[in-house]
Amino acid sequence: MELANPVQIKDTSPPKNGAVINDFCITFSTINGSGSATANTTLLRAIFKMGVPVSGKNILPSNIQGLPTWYTLRVSKDGYLGRLEKDDIVVSMNPITFSKEQEYIVPGGVLLYSDEIKLHIRREDIHVYPMPVNNILNTVGIPAKLRDYTANMVYVGILAELLGIKMKNVVQALEFHFKGKESAIKPNLDVINLAAKWAQDNLKKSDPYFIRSMDANVNCIISDGNTAAGLGAIYGGVQFVGWYPITPATSLAETMHEYVPILRKDQKEEGKETCVMIQAEDEIAAIGMAIGAGWGGLRAMTATSGPGLSLMAEYLGLAYYTETPVVVWDVQRVGPSTGLPTRTAQGDITFANFIGHGDTQYILLFPGSVKECFEFGWRAFDLAERMQTPVIVLSDLDLGMNQWISEPFEYPDQPMDRGKVLWEDDLEKILEKTGEKWGRYLDIDGDGIPYRTLPGNQNPRSAYFSRGTGHDEYGAYREDPEVWERTLSRLKLKFETAKKFTPKPILREMARAKIGILSVGSTDFSIQEARDQLAEQGIATNHMRIRAIPFDDEIRKFIEAHDIVFVVEINRDGQLKQLLTIQFPEQATKLKMVARIDGLPLSANWIEEQISAKEASK
Amino acid sequence: MMNTDAVVHSLVHTNTVECVRNDYKGLPSTLCQGCGHNSIASQIITACYELNISPEKIVKFSGIGCSSKSPTYFLSRSFGFNGLHGRMPSLALGALFADHTLHGLGISGDGDTASIGMGQFKHLVRRNIPMVYIVENNGVYGLTKGQFAPTAEKGLRLKRQGVNAFQPVDICMEALASNATFVARSFAGDPKQVKELLKAALSHNGIAVLDIISPCVTFHNHENSMHSYMGGKALEAPLHEVTYVPSREEIVIDCFEEGETRDVILHDGSMVRLKKLEKDYDPTDRHRAFQMLDESEKKKLLITGLLYIEPYRPSLFDLYVLPETPLNRLTEERLRPPKESIGRLNQMML
């Protein structure tokens, strides 16, 4: 191949410390909207197909086109999927951030950059490879309108050659991405092939980084948490989705729009739809619709993020008090206010817990992996209908929008739990059993959960009037002090009952550990890596990942059993720790806050440093 | 008002769904004596009884305010949900998908609809969900004891706030602008018209907005206001005489001369017969409806009657391919994808 202007490759010395195989991090710096997501996920999937554990994270601006955007790929033979705070390899396609990025590269690391960038390279301790992006595109003869979208494929080809990513796996990844559409695959693959060929002919590899096939991903899938959650809901028999677009929750609802027609064709009435989806005019309407549907007996949900959840506050209070099942997915982002809409956080924990005026309570679920997003996708409906109350599932942007290697989704291992619903004959039976005593809010079983009837029930005694105003066991308007108190006490009892149904915490133990760690959600990946690092220093830890509120009694026992318990979370004020302090005041002095909010997922290093520093200062 | 014979008849006479009029009643009203809302409640009871709709086939919704309290004063055998201020439309929309065979009946007020709830109201209308949406419009906030409502006339004086400086919101105009398929205005002091319009609204396959001027005798009964009984009676200008004709009934009405009546056949085969009064009015002409509302505002007249109707536009339910079985009666085997599908799904995630 002849290029118009062959580039001069700087000859750097060969790897000093030997090869680095399957254990490094690549950061891609591109311009938002330039189609870099296709290039990046192609690499992610190709590495995955080689059997090597890999994770990818977008670090996006809140912008559609034009601002800098980053993507990091972490390759980890040990299977660590959390964020790493270092750049081994930087691929720079963006002149604006070029100078800054050089600073982050580890000594002996790699800088690949588009040779269109004519800026000074200050670092002398890194391996530098300019990439002749335009020359390659010209040679392939990419039409002008597609140039921007295929330019990033140049680094896919060069990296494949440089690191040893197999071209057959790259092709598989492209086929997946473009759903086998040849007309889309071909121009991209042409660029990749030519770029790889160019690298083979012109680059003299001096860096130590290699990817070598493993078999770590047997039976694994790749998905983001939002896709998993939407699919889980579909397997949970969701019947109504009212939603309003908001980053980072939009893809959850959009996944459902995509898969409902495929997975939810009525088995009995051919061609009929068993799930209704409506994009509402705002989040208040979205939750209103979902609560209406839940009241009507449908498995109903919405998906939102912090600002949307704020708008839903009044309706959630109504649903709590009228005992209406509904599922809310809150894919958390950085707040307050509009905050950092494209950055991750666990900042809605206290808000979600206390949402609404007066005395309220909710069932909160915290999925900690993609697989669990799927599981809680269906389980949340069982809980909401069994307990007749809102269930708020707190995911986050990191889990929801990034691609994760995961064990495959598991078919629900339990039949649907529709809770205590009385249709025409059921009502007759219960009236007979109780001696004509049934009321919508009457606690017949002593577990705080009443029996409900649904609109459409033709039994003349089935109807009741739902209201946010004070009501007695029969749904009648009442302002009597004792009635109000009685109802609120029963609701509290109901949440005690809820503990029998909520997912138990997950405990991971090490021998002779005196230190405990408590966490929720997506921090799990970095926490496990941090625990390994701490263990290497001789600090053994036990970890309990909480999966639900109301808090399980196991959590109290866990705190009791340890000298000190670090509560790790992504927010400023230690919100999970605050709730634990309220729930277990007698244990509160043992709890230590390990919390941070900078818009990024917590790294294992940071967690390890915090815990070891606090241990050392004891 | 019904005459005594009719009252006695309805107490013992069962309709075709085996109900007497009392089966449609609610609890005693706690609203003020003489409140227009009570009169509307009474017409709802009669309309549903006469239409032979089983009370179990109706679902009531309301927001917050005096109007929104009233659903407990009729149809005790119907399910109901008294929701949030201004947010009843979303609640109703979600709930009605649970069983598409039910009749939705929403009761709101002028504050609930045209102030806090304007957004949800207009989007409900835009989606053309089959339900009756009644605005009990008294131009004042009653439950908080007399503040300006968005429909209050410009120049209205209230005890504490002084004079209203703003143009009122015209709910029918807003409904029309949002492409409502049924828009009517009536007056609680004209019970016959209210009843006939209610029956037509309940038979309409789409959103039916009924803006009913319903005087607040406690906070807004100024005789020079069209929101009062006296003002309403003096200013009411019916567009036509409305008669609802059920589909099964053979249409035998006194012979009218040509051009004297207009018949609109509704989706379920029933019919609204509009008898011409002073001028001919075509309720299928949307442009004319806007014009009429504009003129009536300028002339300070309370125009009543069926302002606009489009009987055959697909409703929200028609846009979905819903099973015959109500969604809330579907069981697990129709809701959860079969077990063998999970393997294929996981394959798609590789």
Side-chain angles (χ1 to χ4, degrees):
Chain A
M1 180 184 72
E2 287 291 322
L3 289 171
N5 298 302
V7 281
Q8 206 61 41
I9 302 296
K10 200 194 282 180
D11 194 355
T12 44
S13 50
K16 283 184 191 120
N17 309 322
V20 179
I21 299 166
N22 294 349
D23 192 16
F24 54 89
C25 209
I26 315 171
T27 295
F28 303 88
S29 167
T30 52
I31 296 168
N32 211 13
S34 66
S36 53
T38 309
N40 300 335
T41 53
T42 296
L43 281 167
L44 171 91
R45 205 168 282 277
I47 297 167
F48 167 76
K49 295 269 182 194
M50 287 176 72
V52 182
V54 59
S55 62
K57 290 192 192 304
N58 278 300
I59 300 168
L60 296 165
S62 177
N63 163 264
I64 298 299
Q65 206 167 31
L67 290 180
T69 178
W70 293 272
Y71 185 78
T72 62
L73 266 185
R74 180 177 183 188
V75 184
S76 169
K77 61 180 169 36
D78 302 313
Y80 295 129
L81 302 177
R83 184 172 75 95
L84 208 59
E85 277 179 289
K86 65 169 186 158
D87 291 335
D88 294 293
I89 301 171
V90 165
V91 179
S92 184
M93 301 290 280
N94 187 354
I96 296 165
T97 52
F98 189 70
S99 297
K100 195 80 185 158
E101 271 141 13
Q102 291 178 41
E103 294 170 18
Y104 297 122
I105 303 170
V106 298
V110 174
L111 173 65
L112 282 148
Y113 69 101
S114 166
D115 66 359
E116 298 291 298
I117 302 172
K118 310 285 185 201
L119 295 165
H120 178 61
I121 296 168
R122 293 187 311 278
R123 295 280 298 268
E124 291 183 349
D125 57 342
I126 56 173
H127 307 270
V128 179
Y129 307 111
M131 302 181 289
V133 174
N134 274 346
N135 284 335
I136 290 173
L137 293 178
N138 287 339
T139 310
V140 179
I142 293 292
K145 63 173 183 174
L146 290 177
R147 275 186 90 88
D148 284 352
Y149 294 99
T150 45
N152 295 309
M153 290 297 160
V154 170
Y155 65 69
V156 174
I158 293 174
L159 271 176
E161 180 60 29
L162 205 58
L163 301 175
I165 301 167
K166 291 189 175 140
M167 200 50 76
K168 99 175 168 197
N169 298 119
V170 174
V171 173
Q172 283 178 329
L174 274 180
E175 282 170 348
F176 179 91
H177 186 90
F178 291 110
K179 298 186 165 88
K181 200 176 156 205
E182 194 51 42
S183 61
I185 297 168
K186 191 172 179 303
N188 286 291
L189 193 56
D190 286 350
V191 175
I192 292 170
N193 278 328
L194 195 69
K197 180 76 171 50
W198 172 85
Q200 197 180 11
D201 295 345
N202 297 281
L203 281 192
K204 190 173 170 194
K205 183 173 171 82
S206 55
D207 67 87
Y209 300 103
F210 293 95
I211 294 173
R212 295 282 178 262
S213 293
M214 292 173 66
D215 54 3
N217 299 334
V218 180
N219 288 330
C220 284
I221 61 167
I222 288 192
S223 175
D224 58 272
N226 283 350
T227 299
L231 289 168
I234 289 172
Y235 276 79
V238 62
Q239 293 169 284
F240 188 94
V241 187
W243 67 285
Y244 186 75
I246 184 168
T247 304
T250 305
S251 61
L252 203 164
E254 285 191 330
T255 292
M256 300 181 77
H257 273 286
E258 192 182 335
Y259 283 94
V260 157
I262 302 168
L263 289 166
R264 288 290 297 279
K265 292 199 180 94
D266 192 1
Q267 306 288 310
K268 211 162 171 190
E269 297 180 38
E270 211 176 315
K272 301 296 166 91
E273 296 166 11
T274 62
C275 178
V276 171
M277 298 199 61
I278 293 193
Q279 184 185 322
E281 58 268 33
D282 58 29
E283 284 93 344
I284 302 176
I287 189 70
M289 290 175 186
I291 287 170
W295 177 78
L298 303 186
R299 300 204 131 186
M301 66 175 279
T302 187
T304 190
S305 192
L309 192 66
S310 302
L311 288 172
M312 294 178 184
E314 190 185 12
Y315 247 126
L316 283 168
L318 178 76
Y320 168 78
Y321 184 58
T322 56
E323 303 183 54
T324 306
V326 68
V327 172
V328 180
W329 276 79
D330 173 18
V331 187
Q332 298 168 92
R333 67 189 217 190
V334 176
S337 189
T338 307
L340 302 174
T342 55
R343 305 299 171 107
T344 200
Q346 294 179 318
D348 299 348
I349 301 173
T350 45
F351 179 57
N353 186 72
F354 293 116
I355 200 165
H357 57 274
D359 293 299
T360 56
Q361 240 176 321
Y362 302 94
I363 294 175
L364 266 50
L365 297 180
F366 302 93
S369 67
V370 159
K371 191 184 170 196
E372 217 165 61
C373 284
F374 182 87
E375 183 192 331
F376 289 179
W378 59 266
R379 201 180 282 283
F381 292 114
D382 289 353
L383 272 165
E385 291 195 325
R386 166 57 51 186
M387 303 314 304
Q388 300 178 17
T389 202
V391 172
I392 305 172
V393 191
L394 292 174
S395 177
D396 63 41
L397 182 143
D398 184 25
L399 185 56
M401 283 184 72
N402 286 320
Q403 298 286 329
W404 299 84
I405 292 184
S406 163
E407 289 172 55
F409 302 140
E410 273 176 25
Y411 195 76
D413 57 0
Q414 289 156 15
M416 280 185 193
D417 181 359
R418 305 303 306 258
K420 299 182 185 179
V421 173
L422 303 173
W423 283 107
E424 288 82 350
D425 295 344
D426 310 319
L427 182 57
E428 288 304 322
K429 278 180 205 145
I430 210 149
L431 286 167
E432 201 175 307
K433 190 178 125 192
T434 58
E436 297 294 300
K437 272 178 81 175
W438 169 77
R440 167 64 184 96
Y441 298 111
L442 188 64
D443 183 6
I444 292 171
D445 302 328
D447 56 3
I449 313 169
Y451 286 82
R452 64 182 186 131
T453 50
L454 304 176
N457 190 324
Q458 295 301 298
N459 190 319
R461 293 186 61 179
S462 65
Y464 71 98
F465 194 73
S466 265
R467 55 188 351 143
T469 41
H471 48 251
D472 66 11
E473 284 77 357
Y474 296 88
Y477 180 70
R478 294 286 289 272
E479 291 186 16
D480 318 41
E482 63 275 13
V483 172
W484 183 261
E485 234 171 359
R486 208 160 64 215
T487 304
L488 272 256
S489 301
R490 180 181 56 74
L491 283 169
K492 201 164 174 151
L493 169 67
K494 190 167 91 161
F495 277 77
E496 278 302 305
T497 304
K499 290 182 191 170
K500 290 185 194 143
F501 295 90
T502 47
K504 299 282 159 211
I506 297 206
L507 180 63
R508 283 193 174 91
E509 290 178 299
M510 286 180 184
R512 291 174 298 282
K514 297 225 164 38
I515 297 168
I517 300 173
L518 282 169
S519 71
V520 292
S522 66
T523 51
D524 197 48
F525 302 98
S526 291
I527 288 172
Q528 300 319 323
E529 189 177 354
R531 289 178 65 223
D532 288 350
Q533 290 172 5
L534 288 162
E536 278 171 26
Q537 302 166 32
I539 304 173
T541 57
N542 292 332
H543 173 233
M544 180 173 267
R545 182 162 66 82
I546 298 167
R547 300 199 294 165
I549 290 178
F551 288 127
D552 196 275
D553 292 334
E554 291 298 314
I555 300 165
R556 181 180 47 77
K557 289 180 198 155
F558 181 84
I559 304 172
E560 275 171 1
H562 293 89
D563 297 343
I564 186 168
V565 176
F566 295 99
V567 186
V568 177
E569 51 192 313
I570 313 175
N571 53 59
R572 186 189 66 183
D573 296 338
Q575 298 186 7
L576 177 63
K577 179 176 169 284
Q578 291 174 1
L579 296 184
L580 290 163
T581 301
I582 292 169
Q583 184 68 31
F584 308 111
E586 69 284 2
Q587 303 291 332
T589 51
K590 283 186 180 180
L591 301 174
K592 302 292 168 215
M593 182 170 100
V594 178
R596 177 184 198 180
I597 179 86
D598 61 357
L600 298 168
L602 299 183
S603 71
N605 280 350
W606 183 80
I607 299 169
E608 174 266 310
E609 281 165 20
Q610 296 298 305
I611 293 177
S612 61
K614 285 191 168 103
E615 268 303 286
S617 68
K618 270 203 308 200
Chain B
M1 298 285 163
M2 283 198 289
N3 61 41
T4 321
D5 285 351
V7 171
V8 172
H9 180 74
S10 68
L11 285 175
V12 293
H13 180 76
T14 55
N15 61 12
T16 62
V17 291
E18 303 296 320
C19 290
V20 295
R21 189 174 180 278
N22 272 358
D23 291 325
Y24 294 84
K25 281 177 72 173
L27 299 168
S29 170
T30 59
L31 297 172
C32 305
Q33 196 79 36
C35 176
H37 302 355
N38 290 334
S39 157
I40 296 167
S42 169
Q43 295 316 310
I44 290 170
I45 291 168
T46 308
C48 293
Y49 166 67
E50 290 181 8
L51 273 179
N52 300 301
I53 305 174
S54 154
E56 286 76 27
K57 282 283 180 193
I58 301 169
V59 200
K60 306 173 286 184
F61 302 97
S62 61
I64 295 292
C66 288
S67 61
S68 297
K69 286 173 65 150
S70 75
T72 42
Y73 313 140
F74 54 85
L75 299 169
S76 279
R77 276 172 50 181
S78 304
F79 279 80
F81 202 147
N82 177 201
L84 297 180
H85 199 18
R87 321 296 183 202
M88 174 264 277
S90 57
L91 191 74
L93 185 143
L96 287 170
F97 268 104
D99 184 344
H100 65 281
T101 67
L102 303 177
H103 292 269
L105 179 57
I107 309 290
S108 181
D110 39 296
D112 195 58
T113 289
S115 219
I116 189 169
M118 185 69 107
Q120 291 215 351
F121 169 65
K122 294 191 67 123
H123 283 275
L124 186 79
V125 168
R126 175 172 87 94
R127 293 190 178 99
N128 199 34
I129 185 163
M131 74 176 279
V132 178
Y133 189 101
I134 297 172
V135 185
E136 298 184 339
N137 182 349
N138 56 16
V140 75
Y141 282 75
L143 211 52
T144 48
K145 298 185 187 266
Q147 294 77 34
F148 289 120
T151 54
E153 296 115 303
K154 190 178 174 187
L156 175 73
R157 178 177 289 279
L158 286 180
K159 210 164 134 192
R160 294 188 191 84
Q161 283 172 290
V163 176
N164 176 30
F166 305 104
Q167 282 294 329
V169 171
D170 184 324
I171 287 165
C172 289
M173 194 82 103
E174 298 298 337
L176 270 179
S178 306
N179 281 298
T181 51
F182 184 117
V183 183
R185 173 166 287 155
S186 193
F187 175 49
D190 186 353
K192 182 179 178 294
Q193 191 198 51
V194 169
K195 187 179 83 176
E196 296 301 306
L197 285 170
L198 264 171
K199 286 180 177 177
L202 281 159
S203 306
H204 176 63
N205 181 42
I207 185 80
V209 178
L210 277 171
D211 178 24
I212 306 179
I213 305 302
S214 176
C216 173
V217 291
T218 306
F219 295 107
H220 188 188
N221 204 19
H222 310 289
E223 56 185 86
N224 55 350
S225 160
M226 70 171 67
H227 285 104
S228 70
Y229 278 115
M230 280 171 74
K233 280 214 162 76
L235 299 169
E236 186 184 4
L239 291 166
H240 34 230
E241 196 182 301
V242 185
T243 310
Y244 174 83
V245 186
S247 55
R248 278 180 302 276
E249 212 164 280
E250 203 184 329
I251 298 162
V252 189
I253 296 181
D254 302 340
C255 272
F256 289 112
E257 284 173 33
E258 203 156 332
E260 286 285 291
T261 66
R262 282 180 180 274
D263 294 340
V264 183
I265 310 290
L266 300 174
H267 191 265
D268 66 354
S270 61
M271 188 181 86
V272 192
R273 172 154 284 186
L274 304 169
K275 187 181 164 194
K276 183 177 130 180
L277 293 173
E278 279 173 33
K279 275 190 207 159
D280 188 29
Y281 180 78
D282 176 6
T284 62
D285 181 347
R286 186 161 170 264
H287 181 70
R288 181 76 189 102
F290 275 119
Q291 220 177 11
M292 181 58 82
L293 285 168
D294 199 41
E295 283 167 18
S296 73
E297 202 271 323
K298 288 198 176 85
K299 290 179 189 164
K300 304 238 176 289
L301 285 176
L302 173 56
I303 290 289
T304 63
L306 182 59
L307 278 155
Y308 181 69
I309 184 162
E310 188 186 338
Y312 304 112
R313 173 131 48 95
S315 78
L316 180 63
F317 291 160
D318 297 327
L319 304 180
Y320 290 83
V321 196
L322 300 172
E324 295 283 313
T325 316
L327 284 178
N328 69 2
R329 293 193 189 244
L330 296 185
T331 46
E332 176 161 357
E333 61 277 13
R334 292 173 75 173
L335 296 176
R336 177 165 282 171
K339 192 160 189 180
E340 57 272 19
S341 64
I342 196 89
R344 287 199 303 277
L345 183 69
N346 280 317
Q347 282 298 316
M348 290 165 84
M349 300 291 137
L350 294 173

